[in-house]
Amino acid sequence: MPKQVDHRERREAIARALWRVVEQRGVAHLTMRVVAREAGISLGQLQHYFASRAAMLSFAMDFASEQTSLRVGQGLDKLGDRPHPRDVLRVVLAEMLPLHADARATSRMSAAYVLEALHDEAVHEQARRGLVQGRALVEDLVRRAIADGHIAPDRDPATETDLLLALTGFTPLIELDVIAPQDALTAIDLHLDRLFTGNTRTP
């Protein structure tokens, strides 16, 4: 009896192959033929799952976001029940930086996706929608921290959210060896300590 093909598993394998192409060779080499070769399948097989480069890229980006969310969830589980919001935000910010192999792959995938979004309206809308949702989740954390008295009540939640997300701008500095990963984490800790009233703890 022929082996059943898990289509989701095959799509994920293609997405990981795409990540490897982006990570090792750059977005300029991101063609369906190159990804098919990296995935160990024919171009026709790849086209069975993705009709276009944009469709393949969109799925790979969605999968990257899922993997980032999974890593964040695992980090939050380690914090135990009712974690301090400062620690929650640190986990979220740290997982958005290229601090380990999986995060580097998804970070570079995100960079490639943004470049694609600048020239493709459909990709632009999908990328924008994902970023808006992600930002809303961070702002919700900040608003709840203010309401619970962890952050001073005179802080503007929207502005504080923007400042927190600006810390993910360390990504190119880390990738190009301008600063060490620990330097980025030190800056994140210092900012969080300043944001959370009376909190000078370091995880």
Side-chain angles (χ1 to χ4, degrees):
M1 184 174 181
K3 181 181 178 182
Q4 290 280 1
V5 176
D6 186 324
H7 295 292
R8 171 70 187 190
E9 185 177 319
R10 178 61 63 85
R11 284 171 174 265
E12 290 180 2
I14 292 171
R16 289 188 183 279
L18 186 153
W19 294 0
R20 291 194 297 274
V21 171
V22 170
E23 183 175 12
Q24 298 167 10
R25 303 177 61 184
V27 68
H29 295 276
L30 190 59
T31 67
M32 295 183 75
R33 189 176 300 278
V34 168
V35 172
R37 189 180 307 124
E38 177 66 29
I41 60 177
S42 69
L43 178 60
Q45 286 176 301
L46 187 146
Q47 290 173 327
H48 174 74
Y49 293 97
F50 300 105
S52 67
R53 179 177 181 275
M56 177 180 66
L57 187 60
S58 292
F59 179 83
M61 189 61 232
D62 284 344
F63 184 50
S65 297
E66 289 175 13
Q67 294 303 298
T68 300
S69 297
L70 181 62
R71 293 196 306 271
V72 168
Q74 291 168 343
L76 296 181
D77 287 343
K78 294 177 182 177
L79 298 178
D81 295 332
R82 301 175 62 84
H84 193 285
R86 178 201 183 281
D87 298 333
V88 172
L89 284 169
R90 189 184 193 272
V91 167
V92 171
L93 292 172
E95 282 300 339
M96 294 172 73
L97 294 175
L99 301 180
H100 52 79
D102 284 349
R104 278 194 299 275
T106 53
S107 175
R108 292 174 186 180
M109 180 64 236
S110 296
Y113 196 60
V114 168
L115 288 175
E116 190 82 5
L118 294 176
H119 307 287
D120 186 308
E121 288 187 11
V123 175
H124 180 281
E125 181 53 34
Q126 183 178 3
R128 180 184 178 281
R129 188 164 56 246
L131 289 172
V132 167
Q133 291 172 349
R135 187 192 175 284
L137 290 173
V138 174
E139 184 169 337
D140 183 58
L141 286 171
V142 172
R143 287 186 180 279
R144 280 188 280 153
I146 292 173
D148 292 340
H150 296 296
I151 297 176
D154 61 345
R155 297 293 186 102
D156 177 64
T159 300
E160 296 303 336
T161 298
D162 293 339
L163 289 171
L164 286 167
L165 293 176
L167 295 169
T168 63
F170 284 127
T171 292
L173 299 178
I174 295 170
E175 290 276 36
L176 298 177
D177 301 317
V178 177
I179 66 173
Q182 187 55 50
D183 295 332
L185 291 175
T186 297
I188 287 173
D189 283 330
L190 181 59
H191 181 79
L192 290 173
D193 284 341
R194 289 173 173 173
L195 177 61
F196 282 84
T197 54
N199 187 339
T200 55
R201 297 176 302 115
T202 16

